[in-house]
Amino acid sequence: MSGAFRIGNAGRLTPARTARFTFDGKTYTGVEGDTLASALLANGVHLVGRSFKYHRPRGFLSAGAEEPNALVEISRDSARKTPNVRATVQELYDGLSAKSQNRWPSLSFDVGAVNDVASPFFSAGFYYKTFMWPKSAWKNLYEPNIRSAAGLGVAPDQPDPDHYSSRFAHCDVLVLGGGAAGLAAALAAAETGVRVIVADEQAEFGGALRFESGARIEDQDGWAWAQDVVARLKGMSNVRVLPRTTAFGYYAQNFVGMVERVSDHLADPGHDVPRERLWQVRAKRVVLATGAIERHMVFADNDRPGVMLASAARTYLNHYGVAVGRNVGVYTANDSAYAAAIDLKKAGVNVAAIVDLRDNPSGSLIDQARAAGIEIHDGRAVTRVGGKLRVSSMTVQPKNGGGERTIAIDALLMSAGWTPSVHLFSQSRGKVAFNDDKRFVPGTYAQDCVSVGACNGTDGLAASIDEAYAAGAKAAKEAGGKATKGNKPKVDADEIWSRGMLGSAPGAGPDTTVKAFVDFQNDVTAKDIRQAVREGMRSIEHVKRFTTNGMATDQGKTSNMHGLAIAADMLGKSIPEVGLTTFRAPYTPVTFGAIISHARGPLFDPTRRTPMHGWAEKHGAVFEDVGQWKRAWYFPQAGEDMHAAVNRECVAVRKTAGLFDASTLGKIEVVGPDAAKFMELLYTNPWEKLEVGRCRYGIMLREDGFIYDDGVVGRLAADRFHVTTTTGGAARVMNHMEDYLQTEFPHLNVWLTSISEQWAVIAVQGPKSRDIIAPLVEGIDMSDEAMPHMSVREGKICGVTTRLFRMSFTGDRGFEVNVPADYGQAVWEALWAEGRKHDAAAYGTEAMHVLRAEKGYIIVGQDTDGTVTPNDAGLDWAVGRKKTDFVGIRGLTRPDLVAKGRKQLVGLKTKDPKIVLEEGAQVVDNPNQPIPMKMIGHVTSSYWSENCGRSIALALVAGGRDRMGETLYVPMPDKVIEAEVTGMVFFDEKGERLNG
Amino acid sequence: MLLIRCPYCEEERPELEFRNAGEAHIARPTDIAAISDDDFEKFFFIRANPKGIIYERWRHVHGCARFFNAVRDTVSDKFVMTYKAGEPKPSKLPGVSK
């Protein structure tokens, strides 16, 4: 027998198919099809957790996704630990291991429960008011201690070994919720032939039919009908049926996010199936059939284990065959709890009494209860319950005061009525309306969706199915379906209950001593909400934040309406005047795993590698990340640190030659009869007169006059330019060019092609560069006369097509060999073999940076920051003075851009040549001024230059070019560094080495 | 995620394929070098930030790569219509009163 509280002839599970599991180390037996909650209840276990703030003992409130209390940790192994799992939705599997949370040393004896006794100190807003001073203590003292004492589960401390998947789907009609209404809507839509997806969060479809024993549809039990419909839907090729799938977010244009729990219910999922699957569904029409959630009654100690929703007790009985007690009490303000009492009574459970807050309730359910011999106390309230770890009695009193009576019970079923689940509707930006039944129901729709059944405030099975079937057919028709051929399901027997109460019942006061919980998960009581209003909160949004009502992981599914009603009562306003807080995604918690899916580790972001990456790896390169690129940073030899390697590489380039992988440069081909005109408009420089075969350093501005990008451009033909951009700027420069070509200069006949990935680029720089390249080149005369500095030739190298640039980013004679990417590594290896004959070195990006800084060549994005003009950077010579138009021409004459005192790029030489300034360090002209000092600039580039035998730096300094020779100061935490303002060129000032 | 109709591809595609490119119908003056500081300010810096209908540029960057114009309601986030670059600002909008 799987538990003493399992009732032989009740429920739908097969008792012989047992599953063993552990809770807090103790082994129990359940049945296949159980949830962890039903299996524990079958074994008489109600106490499963401790509350967030007061560490009060807690049991199961519900039998579904709205559960605020029964949160446990489920673990498969040391890495697979999931905290805060609702035991009411966790399906049982053989070997499941669960642990209670937020208790020490044990669940039944928890030291933290001292908070409950000390609770007068922990009222609403306690943290805001108490832990204010000193400010610094918050970070180091208050927050860490509060966080360890409060809170629920513990996050896993190892990487998640599970894998997750993600799918996009399109459909005509998406039905969210698979209860009676959802199934009727799905059936109606599916019969028209349109594409339908129907999803439900539970393992089995059926919704409230799970417990509604009175429902009969199409001459069969309601649950059996639901399974029958699901089987039919599964058999239709135009329908996708998704159980265990929660629609958690409703986004713009009928885009719905859903999570399917694929293997959390399996004893041995294996490695082939994902743990969860994220569905991103775009639907022409959405049918919301999300049902309603029962509310609890708000009275003293309503959180004791054993006190639960009436529908939950009924679900445990009618579906799982589990009695939640042997002698139960019922406390209600509506009819539905009567049905639970009658079912339990029929199953042999004693119902001690039904306490009904209403005067003289009437109707068939009340009559049936009376006929079954159940005692009914109407016009009365349960003012408190007895028992600590489990409820033991209820105290009943006439609601307007009078004599008390205490009745022994071992479980208390409560129902304050039903709240339509408008979460997804509200997320779709629909506006809710407060109807005559005091319920918020869908009012104004913002998207192509429709609500049906209980979530629309429709009471009763027959009315819900009528409405849903019609809505399903209509949605299908609007989505392009044919007229339906099917028939509406016929409801033979129904259960109808509506009404109920909102807010606190008589047992919720007085405020001094009583804890009547509104929000179980965040430990918010009726008193807290009243106190919030007394302390001046007027808007429900403020009340919510002050008390944290509805802000726990259950998002107030059971508490929001009660909290709102109590606040409205205190404020003397109507509920709609006080307003409803906004529902936000996710409906229930979603794992990070499901959202990121495969996009983690190396798949988080693409990694770009150059064609020569393998060679660099083999030769010991240390790589640095530059955007998505992996770039060789330096090539340390045995015993070298970075500093030594970079020094050696820098010296080798200037002494003999160096090879550098420049493939990451952005490259764009600008082609067409108007190519030169286009270049004139996009760059500051003149291009019309640039000879074919020559190159020019180009500067690109934004319209505001600031430097956007730069690079060397070669003219391959009258109508063809090979443009290079910075590595990081490749994509945005292409976008910038396309934008102007398509929208501002569409009259120009020009084609733009990104060729960054097509050409590998090998920079060969240094006095021996020509000697290294020349033996491998065919068809190009590389003499200084035939191929001067800043020229480009097309020919062959190693038998492969090349665009050979003579250009320099080091100040020494240099070439950049462009070859088709597939040949990049082969040509590199050939050049390397030649280079070795001349003692050339391979150098990385660090040496490249040092060498260009020695010559004062700027790097856009390092020495400029989006507020630097060509003049600021000392590049006025590159702006065509005779030009009448280019992008940025007007920006350059803005008053601020021509004003005196702008920051200008200059060199800085530290007085002590050994000191290397820090990049980003601030510059001041008087180190003795009081703090905060006036900062006149900052260091943009700074290196040790082995070639200069000293440190070098570039800096943006206000009025910098008028300060040549001045001493400026760089204050650091431990000292002030003196530096002299100089020109930007530190090495070979005359530029003789370009032809050296 | 929004669905956006590319007027060149003539179909609705997910927002992931597109990139917003700011307000539409701001033409670069043909005599830009000669315009006043005030006119340059209006052209380059001043942008509408309406609650309601906005005219804006989008680029089908991961598709046909074309820039086009769109009319969107900033309150509902709904696209009213899209049209090709260079076409005039529509005087009548489908489904929008006033």
Side-chain angles (χ1 to χ4, degrees), chain A residues 40-56:
Chain A
L40 283 167
L41 286 169
N43 286 282
V45 177
H46 277 259
L47 172 65
V48 286
R50 286 279 174 169
S51 76
F52 181 67
K53 192 157 115 183
Y54 302 128
H55 288 251
R56 284 170 69 100

Side-chain angles (χ1 to χ4, degrees), chain A residues 38 82 173 181 186 208 296 389 415 435 439 474 491 549 578 591 609 632 651 717 721 766 793 980:
Chain A
S38 68
T82 312
V173 179
H296 58 279
L389 301 178
S415 177
N435 72 3
R439 287 184 285 196
K474 182 163 178 273
V491 175
N549 189 53
V578 179
T591 62
R609 294 182 178 85
V651 169
F721 292 84
R793 297 288 179 270
E980 184 193 332

Side-chain angles (χ1 to χ4, degrees), chain A residues 631 646 649-662 665 697 712 762-770 789-790 805-816 841-859 945 947-948 952 984-996:
Chain A
R631 299 197 71 180
V646 171
E649 290 169 18
C650 287
V651 169
V653 170
R654 300 226 185 274
K655 195 174 158 200
T656 56
L659 266 67
F660 173 71
D661 180 0
L665 277 181
Y697 168 75
V712 170
I762 304 158
V764 186
Q765 302 272 315
K768 299 285 183 196
S769 54
R770 183 169 55 190
H789 179 59
M790 293 302 262
F805 285 73
R806 178 165 176 195
M807 55 182 278
S808 175
F809 201 41
T810 58
D812 267 276
R813 172 188 294 277
F815 296 87
E816 288 191 1
Y843 66 103
T845 49
E846 188 64 21
M848 177 270 282
H849 275 97
V850 177
L851 292 164
R852 65 90 201 174
E854 287 173 353
K855 294 295 298 176
Y857 298 153
I858 66 161
I859 288 191
S945 165
N947 288 314
C948 299
I952 58 170
M984 288 164 66
V985 183
F986 301 93
F987 188 82
D988 181 29
E989 279 191 51
K990 290 181 182 160
E992 291 162 341
R993 296 178 64 98
L994 284 169
N995 291 307

Side-chain angles (χ1 to χ4, degrees), chain A residues 453-511:
Chain A
C455 74
N456 195 35
T458 304
D459 295 314
L461 191 56
S464 288
I465 285 186
D466 279 6
E467 176 179 78
Y469 194 82
K474 182 163 178 273
K477 196 178 167 209
E478 287 165 351
K482 302 184 296 274
T484 176
K485 291 172 292 191
N487 291 313
K488 186 179 72 184
K490 179 169 61 69
V491 175
D492 308 307
D494 201 347
E495 289 188 8
I496 297 183
W497 9 267
S498 62
R499 307 280 170 168
M501 62 139 355
L502 295 168
S504 54
D511 281 358

Side-chain angles (χ1 to χ4, degrees), chain A residues 233-367:
Chain A
L233 291 170
K234 281 183 178 164
M236 297 163 88
S237 61
N238 58 323
V239 182
R240 186 189 290 279
V241 178
L242 292 174
R244 299 189 179 93
T245 304
T246 303
F248 63 81
Y250 196 134
Y251 306 97
Q253 288 174 292
N254 274 359
F255 189 67
V256 177
M258 315 199 292
V259 164
E260 180 185 1
R261 288 169 298 281
V262 183
S263 61
D264 268 356
H265 62 290
L266 301 175
D268 181 16
H271 296 291
D272 296 338
V273 286
R275 181 176 168 223
E276 294 178 328
R277 180 178 290 127
L278 178 71
W279 288 86
Q280 297 177 74
V281 183
R282 180 82 66 176
K284 284 187 188 151
R285 292 288 183 282
V286 174
V287 178
L288 296 168
T290 46
I293 292 171
E294 197 170 25
R295 291 186 301 277
H296 58 279
M297 297 293 283
V298 180
F299 60 96
D301 299 330
N302 59 345
D303 64 328
R304 289 293 178 227
V307 181
M308 63 170 62
L309 298 174
S311 61
R314 212 178 165 203
T315 302
Y316 290 122
L317 178 73
N318 291 343
H319 189 76
Y320 300 101
V322 173
V324 298
R326 303 203 195 281
N327 178 37
V328 305
V330 176
Y331 181 25
T332 186
N334 93 95
D335 289 357
S336 66
Y338 283 80
I342 294 162
D343 284 352
L344 281 160
K345 179 86 181 175
K346 280 186 192 158
V349 174
N350 185 52
V351 179
I354 296 176
V355 180
D356 195 326
L357 198 61
R358 300 171 295 179
D359 294 312
N360 304 313
S362 63
S364 91
L365 280 169
I366 287 95
D367 297 340

